[in-house]
Amino acid sequence: MELPKGELEYIHFFCGNTEIASDLKEREPQRAALYKATAGLLRAYANIADEMDAAGYNGTLCVWPATKASI
């Protein structure tokens, strides 16, 4: 399966064709995993939000090095 790249591809990846109820049901585990991961990320941030300096955050923008895959 090819990874989604744009908004419509993400909708199809997580919901399928939204007019077909079975597509929504089939992709429910993908949506649940996304929601669970997002909630975990938000909880992790909330736990260290007041201690960003101690966590090593210095306020600069983090930019990942470009790779052939991201170009």
Side-chain angles (χ1 to χ4, degrees), residues 18-50:
T18 56
E19 296 176 357
I20 302 173
S22 62
D23 272 9
L24 286 171
K25 188 69 175 166
E26 287 173 11
R27 289 177 174 80
E28 187 174 353
Q30 290 160 276
R31 287 191 308 279
L34 172 66
Y35 302 152
K36 184 177 180 180
T38 302
L41 175 65
L42 290 173
R43 277 192 303 275
Y45 174 76
N47 287 337
I48 67 164
D50 293 332

Side-chain angles (χ1 to χ4, degrees), residues 1 4-5 10-13 30-32 35 46-48 53 65 69 71:
M1 173 181 272
K5 292 182 175 49
Y10 275 99
I11 291 170
H12 285 181
F13 182 80
Q30 290 160 276
R31 287 191 308 279
Y35 302 152
N47 287 337
I48 67 164
D53 291 333
I71 297 176

Side-chain angles (χ1 to χ4, degrees), residues 47-66:
N47 287 337
I48 67 164
D50 293 332
E51 303 166 5
M52 295 298 281
D53 291 333
Y57 179 75
N58 63 8
T60 61
L61 178 64
C62 179
V63 179
W64 295 102

